[in-house]
Amino acid sequence: FGVMSRFYVSPLNSLRENFFMGGIMFSCVYDRKTRDVFAAGGRYDHLIKEQRPKIGGYFEERHAVGFSLAWERLARVPNKSGSKTFLKKQESDSNTMFPGRRCDVLVASFDAAILRSTGIEVLQLLWDHDISAEMAKDARSPEDLLSKHRDENYSWIIVIKPEAMLKIKTMSRKDVQDVDIPLGQLMAWLRPELKERDSRALAKLRGNVSHGSESSGTHNSDRNQDQDVKVLVAGTKSKKFNRRTVVDQAQVSASNLMRSYLDGPILAIETTDQVMDLLRETRLSEHESWKSVEHAVTMTEKKYVRELHAQLDTWRSTYEMKNISKHAFIYNFRTGTCVYYDLSA
């Protein structure tokens, strides 16, 4: 018939062979590293028979033929360089075939016991911070993991390793290398990454990527590279480590910590710099420190200081409920002075 494609006869191709008994079933696949089915069908006589009512009446023999086609996978237009390049492009971009994200993070591990213990803790941590995440299917290797989730789209895949170490793979950007961080640093790393992803998506939606933000990002990257890191090794015997990796992780961790401060609220007030200096010395846990401020200001300013104190106290209560950052700022819009305020102190 002039057909040049390869055909493979596979008697055990279907999990429900009784549906195709006496008939035929076919699958069309991309024959590559991971075989990907893009169409399947067959003759469903026994399937129709299986679904008929079990009691009463006479039913004539019915026949059915059908197939399903993953048209989304075929809806791409080949480029001018030819079909081979087009197919190669499809293989490399298989994880971006469906643009809609299932959720932000996929939590995985190649150890089933770790996945069902530490994995649940990581999921709970992400959910507590309003980050959408789900647990991956059991997998034994990165290839197996990607194969089982090839139809879903995630921004990050977190692979939990022994000793509560995490390997984070950024799926949406190929220019970002995988990072290895301890579990305790997960949120400090992930928060700025979420903000950057959302800002990129917004800029792309508007069709105007700000050159200034890219320059700022390059400047921050250069600054991180130039930041001095002194590594002190303990006298006791410890596991071997890569000094370059430690330096890079230290710079990233310090940068992420500084970015996390920007999550805090800002209270804009109208006062003098002398009062700002007094506020800098106060603590929400030390009521006497606030009384000292009230005694140092005029009668008309006392009410204003109490309102300021009440607002900071409200933020502290919200922080204790784990809803906002513990970092806050007080900005004097009359003089332009801004001070940092620790809500947990």
Side-chain angles (χ1 to χ4, degrees), residues 27-41:
S27 298
C28 301
V29 301
Y30 289 124
D31 196 3
R32 52 189 184 186
K33 293 181 180 179
T34 302
R35 289 192 175 183
D36 193 7
V37 178
F38 66 88

Side-chain angles (χ1 to χ4, degrees), residues 313-329:
D313 211 29
T314 300
W315 283 347
R316 176 189 174 92
S317 300
T318 309
Y319 154 71
E320 290 174 346
M321 295 173 62
K322 306 298 183 182
N323 288 335
I324 66 169
S325 169
K326 71 174 183 178
H327 310 297
F329 299 89

